[in-house]
Amino acid sequence: MSSLPRVNIDQPKYDQESYVGRAKHFFLLTNPLNVLASAAKLEEARQIVLKYRAGKDVPECKTIDDVWRAKYLYDSAFHPETGEKQIVIGRMAAQMPMNMIITGGEYEYEQRFWGSIGAI
């Protein structure tokens, strides 16, 4: 089996000088479907990233895109400085669903608050 090409996975996959590159990076990192990944899948992604960073072969990955998928799954669930797995509501992948709940709650509160003020 041939080894995978070496790329710097500590840098974003897409060019950060362009809007499209930044958007692609952001959407991959905050993909809400990553919240549904099992603990086993997250651990597998973590092992792939750690092995690849160490320069070891990663037999789980057939292509470099598999490494990138694992990297974005890893980045969406683990703290960037400590490497600890975050609770679900604190993960990058949970930002969109959690913020929808918060925004919806704020909107509903505002409607009730101003509605009750208007009734006085």
Side-chain angles (χ1 to χ4, degrees):
M1 180 176 99
S2 64
S3 62
L4 296 170
R6 301 304 301 174
V7 295
N8 185 359
I9 61 171
D10 292 321
Q11 295 296 318
K13 180 179 181 180
Y14 298 102
D15 178 26
Q16 298 298 287
E17 296 295 319
S18 71
Y19 173 78
V20 172
R22 290 189 302 273
K24 285 180 179 180
H25 173 71
F26 176 78
F27 288 131
L28 284 172
L29 189 60
T30 60
N31 181 355
L33 295 176
N34 290 345
V35 171
L36 304 175
S38 67
K41 198 70 170 163
L42 292 174
E43 182 58 29
E44 179 185 7
R46 187 176 83 80
Q47 290 301 321
I48 289 170
V49 169
L50 294 177
K51 281 192 236 176
Y52 190 83
R53 279 183 179 157
K56 298 178 182 173
D57 281 338
V58 186
E60 302 94 323
C61 298
K62 305 295 181 224
T63 67
I64 195 65
D65 285 334
D66 293 339
V67 174
W68 278 114
R69 271 191 285 282
K71 170 67 168 136
Y72 276 106
L73 182 58
Y74 172 82
D75 283 350
S76 74
F78 291 86
H79 192 277
E81 292 179 7
T82 65
E84 295 177 22
K85 186 167 43 168
Q86 299 297 297
I87 60 171
V88 173
I89 62 171
R91 295 179 186 171
M92 288 300 291
Q95 293 304 303
M96 190 270 294
M98 292 298 115
N99 286 333
M100 283 178 50
I101 292 169
I102 292 168
T103 303
E106 288 175 344
Y107 178 75
E108 185 61 28
Y109 171 76
E110 182 180 330
Q111 293 297 322
R112 290 178 191 210
F113 176 74
W114 290 115
S116 59
I117 294 294
I120 293 178

